[in-house]
Amino acid sequence: METESIAKRLETIRAQIHDAEIKSGRTPGSVRLCAVSKFHPVQAVVEAIEAGQVLFGENRVQEASSKFSELQTICSKPYQLHIIGTLQRNKIKRAVECASCIQSVDRIEVLEDIQKHAASLQKNIEIMFEMHTGEESKAGILCADELYAYAERCANGDFPNVTVTGLMTMAPLTQDTNAIKRSFETLRKLQETLNQKFPGLPVRELSMGMSADFITAIEQGSTLVRIGTAIFGERQYGAVQA
């Protein structure tokens, strides 16, 4: 970690989120912070928890499971773990075991496997559908009709151990702020349509915005920003086994 502490960086990010909420006419506290701790050691997570951070995101299931299992033995304060990376089907059982939410559901086979493993564990798990909303190649569901088909099955009770809470996206890697804004706007409009079609779900969360673009995401309605580098510094590749 560099000179500035994790606690200080969290304080800065929280202040920026608050200012963006006010500027956008949002209610203060309406945007949650997910601290992305991938490739950072357990001690960095402990420091963040000690500074009041509760929600963490991890991309790689094996790393997340190992790191947060260790965390259970050294930290008694509450925390939540979300899986935010693309899931291989052979990692789904472990993801369901260690996380409270999987944000990166992008195909029906993943949803079916999540249900299967959640049922076997007698656990209810939250999920978000990951949508492709940018011009560049990104993970996620490409077609709105595909999203609606998945949501219809959820609304019909096909996945009783799964609760759909939101939509997630990654903006394109570009300096074009209009393209980034369009990406976030697309996700917000999908949420609005989804809630009109299936009011019984309902889909409350919009997980969008990272270190470089979270202010724009908040302006476009994000309720959950995923920030890693601005909190933990540059990723410590090789420091954590995955």
Side-chain angles (χ1 to χ4, degrees), residues 131-139 142 169-186:
M131 299 300 300
H132 175 116
T133 62
E135 291 83 351
E136 297 180 9
S137 176
K138 292 286 183 185
L142 289 168
T169 198
M170 292 177 61
L173 294 173
T174 177
Q175 299 299 314
D176 184 348
T177 55
N178 287 327
I180 294 169
K181 182 177 177 181
R182 285 195 300 272
S183 172
F184 295 148
E185 185 178 37
T186 296

Side-chain angles (χ1 to χ4, degrees), residues 54-116:
V54 174
L55 177 58
F56 295 87
E58 288 276 344
N59 286 61
R60 307 205 299 184
V61 174
Q62 188 170 335
E63 177 188 345
S65 178
S66 174
K67 184 188 302 182
F68 282 80
S69 292
E70 181 181 349
L71 186 65
Q72 288 180 342
T73 69
I74 61 177
C75 182
S76 60
K77 292 187 176 181
Y79 61 85
Q80 297 175 13
L81 171 63
H82 286 195
I83 298 298
I84 61 175
T86 301
L87 272 179
Q88 298 174 344
R89 292 183 67 184
N90 64 351
K91 301 292 178 59
I92 291 175
K93 182 176 186 292
R94 204 165 180 181
V96 172
E97 289 173 341
C98 71
S100 62
C101 178
I102 297 173
Q103 294 195 22
S104 47
V105 176
D106 60 356
R107 49 199 195 282
I108 196 64
E109 295 83 5
V110 169
L111 183 56
E112 290 170 342
D113 284 356
I114 290 171
Q115 166 58 35
K116 179 180 72 176

Side-chain angles (χ1 to χ4, degrees), residues 111 126-127 129 147-159 162-167 190-191 193-205:
L111 183 56
E126 297 180 351
I127 66 110
F129 290 115
L147 169 66
Y148 302 149
Y150 298 171
E152 183 174 21
R153 289 192 60 185
C154 292
N156 289 339
D158 289 0
F159 308 103
V162 172
T163 301
V164 183
T165 61
L167 303 177
L190 282 169
Q191 179 199 33
T193 302
L194 203 62
N195 283 329
Q196 289 172 359
K197 286 178 172 289
F198 308 104
L201 284 179
V203 178
R204 301 178 302 275
E205 298 279 12

